[in-house]
Amino acid sequence: MKSYKIALIKGDGIGPEIIDEAVKVLDAVASCFDFHFTYEEVLMGGCAYDITGDPLPQETITTALNSDAVLFGAIGGEKWDNLPREKRPESGLLRFRKELGVYANLRPAVVYDELINASSLKPEVVKGVDLMVVRELIGGIYFGEPKGRDENKGWNTMVYTREEIVRIAHQAFKIAMERSKRVCSIDKANVLDVSQLWREVVEEVAKEYPEVELSHMYVDNAAMQLIRDPKQFDVMLTGNIFGDILSDEASMLSGSIGLLPSASVGAKIGVYEPIHGSAPDIAGQGIANPIATISSASMMLRYALGEIAAADKIDAAIKRALSEGYRTKDLAQYDAKEVCSTSEMGSIIANYSAKCKH
Ligand code: IPM
Ligand code: MG
């Protein structure tokens, strides 16, 4: 029997609760297939800082690199907001992404028919939305030098090299080939030199994918178009900070940020995590929505382990739970037949995932 080694990073806030549910679902689906999981739990974020003085201990990197994939909860919280920047949980996460080399962040935004009323937009605007933000993750203004601050000035630099743009563009075009063969590249080429290079390089890479239709859009317009008519988008290719912002925006099309998964890939080991944060305000109450994390576990099966049938089963189980009216508190107002806790939702999806006919 195949055995997959998964590094688990539960993190802070609701992180531990939602990861526990994803593990429950992974074990349930494995019972139907010819594989099983072993997990190694490692620390990152505020909890790692509290214990070791470092938000990203070396052991975490080593364990991640020796695993088949990383399943990640969430990090951060007010408690650590006043630490020096390099000790903050977020700095640990950025360093982790960089160390692993996961330069491509895939953030699908799908609107479930069952939750069509949960979006703040009109049902006819969001029905059928199925887009993928392909966000560059280890470059751009998050990492550019020089950066710094003194008492009266703070500065960061948005830098992209040709090589960085080429590799993320290839990811976007490859993904588009599996979808509806459309890429919209987002930039601010009317103002930024870095965006001008971005646009030129994306045009060059596009020549290798003649079947894919490429368009360009300024980021401000893209933010507006996402709300006006989100169905015009399929793959949205973006740099680091634009993708950070637009993927949060895209998540609200689906009604709750608690639904959306992500995959950070491009290197040997990928990181699979919900796009939402650690929500310290609701931690420990059993009301967090575990679906984004369960769905990230499904992306892990699909992209990292090639267990497509198992991933499909989890996706179907999530849909079934929603269509039967199970809702966590964030979605309780929307056609709920039964409001359930974090762990009840996990158990329902695990139970459906473990039905072995496939
Ligand atoms: C995300 C988060 C992170 C980011 C933070 C926590 C560093 O917002 O994954 O979108 O900005 O990349
Ligand atoms: Mg973000």
Side-chain angles (χ1 to χ4, degrees), residues 85 141 144-157:
R85 176 151 316 279
I141 198 165
E145 297 285 349
K147 63 176 171 209
R149 62 156 295 172
D150 58 29
E151 210 191 326
N152 299 311
K153 205 165 96 175
W155 59 97
N156 292 86
T157 310

Side-chain angles (χ1 to χ4, degrees), residues 107 135 244 248:
R107 296 191 160 180
R135 167 193 179 195
D244 179 45
D248 264 33

